[in-house]
């Protein structure tokens, strides 16, 4: 089974930075695309950034301010998906969720974490 656990959220002032991490348990060869989504109170879940192999894609609001990356672990250790966020705005306030698309043994399955809260406020 693939498990995703996010961390790194918190309260930050406008213009500040945060680094979110998503600890991934499970064999990385069974995971394809990974991404960050977010959901603000009363709004639909929205795409933030995606990484597939070394290729990245960002939403318009994240482009130029956020950087997605992932670290592959050695056998037996956890891998991580990261989101470096800079120049944060109040509209970035949301629950940030880690997503992984299953491949090979887990082909066709979607995996989600529980999320980490980010609040941008003065």
């Amino acid at each position: 089974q693939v498990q995703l656990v996010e961390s790194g959220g918190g309260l930050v002032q406008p213009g500040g930075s945060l680094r979110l991490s998503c600890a991934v348990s499970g064999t990385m060869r069974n995971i394809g695309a990974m991404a960050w989504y977010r959901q603000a109170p009363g709004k639909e879940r929205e795409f933030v950034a995606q990484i597939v192999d070394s290729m990245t894609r960002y939403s318009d609001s994240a482009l130029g301010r956020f950087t997605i990356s992932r670290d592959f672990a050695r056998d037996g250790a956890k891998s991580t998906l990261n989101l470096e966020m800079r120049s944060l705005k109040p509209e970035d306030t949301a629950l940030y969720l880690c997503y992984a698309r299953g491949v090979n043994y887990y082909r066709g399955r979607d995996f989600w974490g529980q999320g980490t809260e980010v609040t941008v406020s003065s």
Side-chain angles (χ1 to χ4, degrees):
Q1 187 65 284
V2 174
Q3 291 186 321
L4 307 173
V5 180
E6 301 93 334
S7 62
L11 173 64
V12 63
Q13 292 188 340
S17 300
L18 274 178
R19 178 182 173 91
L20 306 183
S21 292
C22 172
V24 184
S25 60
T27 306
M28 290 305 292
R29 65 182 178 87
N30 289 323
I31 294 173
M34 297 194 72
W36 287 96
Y37 285 76
R38 68 186 184 187
Q39 187 164 18
K43 294 189 176 181
E44 297 284 323
R45 185 173 297 182
E46 65 173 357
F47 168 79
V48 176
Q50 174 182 281
I51 186 166
V52 181
D53 294 328
S54 60
M55 295 183 295
T56 58
R57 182 169 68 92
Y58 298 91
S59 66
D60 288 344
S61 64
L63 189 64
R65 298 188 300 127
F66 295 2
T67 303
I68 188 171
S69 64
R70 65 180 188 180
D71 300 317
F72 287 93
R74 297 190 188 96
D75 291 343
K78 289 186 177 180
S79 296
T80 58
L81 178 72
N82 307 299
L83 186 69
E84 195 78 40
M85 304 188 295
R86 300 177 298 277
S87 303
L88 284 162
K89 306 173 183 178
E91 52 263 44
D92 294 318
T93 295
L95 178 70
Y96 282 71
L97 300 124
C98 179
Y99 164 83
R101 178 69 171 174
V103 295
N104 298 324
Y105 185 80
Y106 291 125
R107 187 172 67 178
R109 292 186 61 180
D110 296 326
F111 299 94
W112 291 93
Q114 294 297 307
T116 184
E117 291 275 3
V118 172
T119 302
V120 184
S121 175
S122 55

